[in-house]
Amino acid sequence: MAQKLKQINDISIGDNLRKLRNAANLTQEQVLAQLQLRNLPTSRSVYSQIEA
């Protein structure tokens, strides 16, 4: 019998990212710099939209 995945109605990835960033005392610019060092280029605008 196939198992069904439990659906989560409230996925707040952006909220979780913001909380983790704030807990680490990092600015969005600092997070972006770390992402770029790991070859994951993105803009501040895109990252801001993800958090929102």
Side-chain angles (χ1 to χ4, degrees), residues 28-39:
Q28 287 184 346
E29 290 83 8
Q30 291 170 319
V31 171
L32 289 171
Q34 290 299 315
L35 290 173
Q36 291 171 354
L37 286 174
R38 289 163 175 80
N39 293 322

